[in-house]
Amino acid sequence: MGKIGRIARTAIRKDFLLSFAGTFAAVLGIPATLVGMLGGHLSLGMTACLTLLAVSVSALVNRHKWSTKLPVKVIMPGKKTLRCPSDLNLTRESVKLARYEFGRNTISLSNYEPLRAKNPYILVCLLGGDGDFLGYFDVFPVKTTFAELFLQGRVSEKDLTHEDILTPQEMRQCKYVYIAGLAVCDSERQSGQVNAAILIWGLLKYLDHFYGTSKPYVFASAATGDGDNLLQSFNIPLICGSDTRADGQKMYGLYLSRDVIAERIACVPDYSLLCSIDWTPVKTQKPDRLPVPRRPGLPQKKRRSLSR
């Protein structure tokens, strides 16, 4: 409450104080001067009444300056963006964040760039209103030969090369989709947790856009406890445990369809008014002059009600 008090006190503008003092001096000084010129003097009671009158008149005359509020700049968070395709700088930030979050069992930048060169749509980065990097997720449409070896636990993510993924022209007909990672900056802070929720929502929208019609088998490995909990919360079946795999990670997967995706989108907040999506065509419309909303739309159902 102390800060609110200071803000309220700063609202007493300097021009009000100066104008009030000038009016007060005039109302009080003119009668006193006239009485003095006539050779008289003001009694104590008359002086008190005259002072009260001066204060009242000054306040009345300058009340509009007291009530004038200081201009307040309303700061609204800028609309965030899910950028896809991304550029080299964003790829570098994503690889750095992945290394920080998941350790060395991730793809290096030198190995990642050939993958992105072959298919620019594998990486999606979340950007703030000022274009600052906030997090990412990446999804690989992989060929059947690599997918089968991966699901058997005989190869890991680090073994993935550009020869194992599909081009943008082939990805809409692919049969296997690997969700490689999802991470945010400042994950321990509330802002990071909000960005993580946006990325989860964005991932589901991404899967619906690129893979909703091909009905592929989508799979992901749980590299962390948070990832394990997230996959379980969306009721993704466990394929195999960590003890039978070369990468030592649990593997989850299920077949996608429009209904499967829609059911899970209904379980997360709707961030469409807070975050724009690059990979969908934008209709030409008048600029939106309204401020960016502060809250997303509420989920329509509970995750525990999801079917497999």
Side-chain angles (χ1 to χ4, degrees):
M1 297 299 292
K3 290 184 178 180
I4 295 177
R6 286 195 294 273
I7 292 172
R9 287 193 290 273
T10 59
I12 304 175
R13 299 175 58 170
K14 183 183 294 185
D15 57 347
F16 167 79
L17 296 175
L18 293 175
S19 181
F20 181 90
T23 306
F24 177 82
V27 174
L28 184 62
I30 292 174
T33 301
L34 291 176
V35 171
M37 292 175 63
L38 295 175
H41 66 277
L42 296 175
S43 65
L44 183 61
M46 185 62 70
T47 301
C49 292
L50 188 58
T51 301
L52 180 62
L53 176 64
V55 170
S56 300
V57 172
S58 299
L60 183 65
V61 170
N62 298 285
R63 67 185 186 279
H64 66 286
K65 295 184 177 180
W66 172 274
S67 61
T68 301
K69 296 180 180 179
L70 290 175
V72 177
K73 182 179 180 181
V74 179
I75 301 176
M76 297 294 291
K79 193 170 186 178
K80 297 176 182 178
T81 303
L82 285 168
R83 178 62 47 80
C84 179
S86 299
D87 55 27
L88 178 58
N89 289 332
L90 292 176
T91 304
R92 184 179 292 109
E93 293 291 337
S94 301
V95 171
K96 184 194 305 182
L97 179 59
R99 180 63 58 91
Y100 175 78
E101 291 289 339
F102 308 123
R104 295 189 175 183
N105 194 27
T106 56
I107 305 174
S108 65
L109 179 62
S110 59
N111 291 333
Y112 200 102
E113 263 306 287
L115 304 178
R116 194 178 66 87
K118 184 172 183 180
N119 189 333
Y121 294 98
I122 62 174
L123 176 64
V124 179
C125 294
L126 178 63
L127 306 182
D130 296 328
D132 47 324
F133 174 78
L134 301 176
Y136 81 96
F137 65 80
D138 49 359
V139 181
F140 299 104
V142 293
K143 295 180 179 179
T144 301
T145 51
F146 181 84
E148 292 177 344
L149 292 174
F150 202 172
L151 291 171
Q152 293 170 10
R154 297 166 60 184
V155 297
S156 67
E157 178 182 314
K158 294 182 68 174
D159 298 313
L160 185 65
T161 69
H162 70 282
E163 297 180 352
D164 300 314
I165 67 170
L166 302 177
T167 65
Q169 294 74 27
E170 300 170 323
M171 61 188 293
R172 291 184 181 274
Q173 286 77 42
C174 76
K175 298 303 178 183
Y176 292 96
V177 175
Y178 171 56
I179 301 176
L182 184 152
V184 294
C185 302
D186 301 321
S187 58
E188 298 300 323
R189 298 183 179 180
Q190 182 180 2
S191 59
Q193 295 169 11
V194 171
N195 292 333
I198 294 176
L199 283 171
I200 293 171
W201 167 81
L203 173 60
L204 293 170
K205 301 290 285 188
Y206 173 95
L207 293 174
D208 182 62
H209 178 75
F210 287 106
Y211 303 108
T213 58
S214 60
K215 297 182 179 181
Y217 190 79
V218 60
F219 57 99
S221 57
T224 64
D226 289 339
D228 196 39
N229 294 333
L230 179 63
L231 292 168
Q232 291 181 21
S233 72
F234 279 99
N235 206 13
I236 310 298
L238 177 66
I239 302 172
C240 61
S242 58
D243 55 339
T244 61
R245 299 186 52 77
D247 54 15
Q249 300 172 2
K250 296 179 181 179
M251 183 67 72
Y252 294 81
L254 84 169
Y255 284 98
L256 282 186
S257 69
R258 292 282 192 196
D259 293 338
V260 168
I261 298 173
E263 189 179 19
R264 282 153 179 81
I265 289 178
C267 295
V268 299
D270 182 8
Y271 289 95
S272 55
L273 295 179
L274 294 163
C275 182
S276 60
I277 295 175
D278 267 4
W279 60 80
T280 57
V282 179
K283 297 180 181 179
T284 303
Q285 58 182 6
K286 295 181 180 180
D288 188 3
R289 298 181 182 274
L290 296 176
V292 178
R294 292 181 180 272
R295 296 181 179 87
L298 296 176
Q300 300 174 14
K301 63 186 302 183
K302 302 293 184 180
R303 292 186 191 180
R304 60 175 175 267
S305 65
L306 290 171
S307 60
R308 295 192 177 189

